Structures are given as structure tokens and as C-alpha cells.
Amino acid sequence: MQFLNFPTYHFRFKNSENKTHIFDEIRKKFVVLQPEEWVRQHVVQYLLHEKNYPKSLINVEKELKVNGLNKRYDVVVYRPDGSIFLVVECKAPTVSISQATFDQIARYNMTLNATILMVTNGISHYYCMVDFQAQQYRFLKTLPDYSIVK
């Protein structure tokens, strides 16, 4: 798999039916290793090891309804009170981050109401804080550590 703009992490792999699988420690199962999954697993490790988010507050690939359509988010991080603090949209490294990517996560966030949004293709990472009152986004230089989650 391609080198990504994250620290180096150690993953568990297995081969089955001529496909490589990677162990997802949030879902507690092996999943097929696709380019987007490679990015998603790096994001999870980054959240756990660099930003100190508790594993118990992270959720990966769950369905949500957006305008009556079934969609799947990549990663969310909850606050201890159950509200959503962070939504992450992952793309494969070959997919450039575009306005359509930001539109996608903004649509998801109309349902999720997260405070922080992250968009990444593993190479480029973008973070923004949602100001619900002013109905605008403020881009951040880095993702906040778990210590600021309230």
C-alpha cells in the first residue's frame, strides 16, 4: 500500500480468498484492504495514538440517513455525553480533495451535528470547526487533542 502522511503504525494483516485484509480494532474484525480502508485505518491509529481519543468513543463505518438516503460515514468520535465531536471523511490517496468532498461531509454533518470535521486522502488533511450560530466553517491548522473535548 501507498505511503501516507501519518506516523508509521503497525497493523495486523491476513490473506483470504486472494485478498489482503487489515484488522480494524474499532470494529474488531478483519476488513478487505482497499486504498480508502488504508487511509481509514491510519486515521483511527492517529486518533488513538497521537490525539489520545479513547477507543470507546470512536465509531467506524456506520449507516446514517441523509435526505432520506442511506449513507455511511467513515469515522466519528463521540463526546462522553454521546453527542458527536468529530466526523472524518476518508478518500483513497489517488482521490484529490475537492469542494465535492467538503459538500459530502457537510451534508452528513447536517444529520450528525459534529463540532469538528476532518477530510483526508491520507496525503492531505483538512480540519475545520463548525460555527453553528454564524453558519460557517473555520479551518484549523491541526486536529484538537482529546483533552479539549467537552
Side-chain angles (χ1 to χ4, degrees):
M1 278 281 135
Q2 182 174 343
F3 173 79
L4 301 178
N5 188 16
F6 284 105
T8 302
Y9 300 111
H10 297 285
F11 298 100
R12 289 173 45 203
F13 300 97
K14 77 172 186 177
N15 289 311
S16 176
E17 300 175 8
N18 294 325
K19 292 183 182 171
T20 301
H21 294 72
I22 187 169
F23 188 75
D24 181 324
E25 65 180 277
I26 303 300
R27 292 180 274 185
K28 295 181 174 58
K29 67 179 184 176
F30 281 93
V31 294
V32 175
L33 181 57
Q34 299 284 348
E36 184 177 313
E37 190 64 45
W38 184 236
V39 173
R40 188 168 24 254
Q41 292 307 314
H42 276 78
V43 166
V44 167
Q45 295 304 308
Y46 178 75
L47 293 173
L48 292 171
H49 299 290
E50 313 310 320
K51 296 300 180 176
N52 300 310
Y53 288 87
K55 189 187 300 187
S56 62
L57 297 179
I58 299 174
N59 207 320
V60 174
E61 273 218 314
K62 293 285 185 193
E63 198 169 276
L64 74 149
K65 287 241 188 241
V66 178
N67 297 325
L69 300 173
N70 291 336
K71 301 291 183 180
R72 292 181 84 72
Y73 60 70
D74 286 307
V75 180
V76 298
V77 176
Y78 292 92
R79 289 185 185 86
D81 70 5
S83 63
I84 297 175
F85 174 72
L86 168 69
V87 178
V88 183
E89 178 58 32
C90 300
K91 297 295 184 191
T94 56
V95 176
S96 58
I97 304 298
S98 66
Q99 184 62 49
T101 311
F102 287 99
D103 292 347
Q104 178 184 3
I105 199 169
R107 278 191 305 277
Y108 290 5
N109 204 42
M110 288 173 20
T111 300
L112 299 171
N113 296 313
T115 306
I116 305 288
L117 305 178
M118 175 181 177
V119 174
T120 182
N121 62 4
I123 308 300
S124 300
H125 318 298
Y126 299 93
Y127 320 98
C128 60
M129 180 173 282
V130 181
D131 182 339
F132 290 101
Q133 287 186 315
Q135 296 183 342
Q136 63 186 19
Y137 300 102
R138 190 176 87 234
F139 281 86
L140 307 171
K141 291 183 196 263
T142 188
L143 187 67
D145 290 339
Y146 177 70
S147 59
I148 73 115
V149 177
K150 296 178 180 125

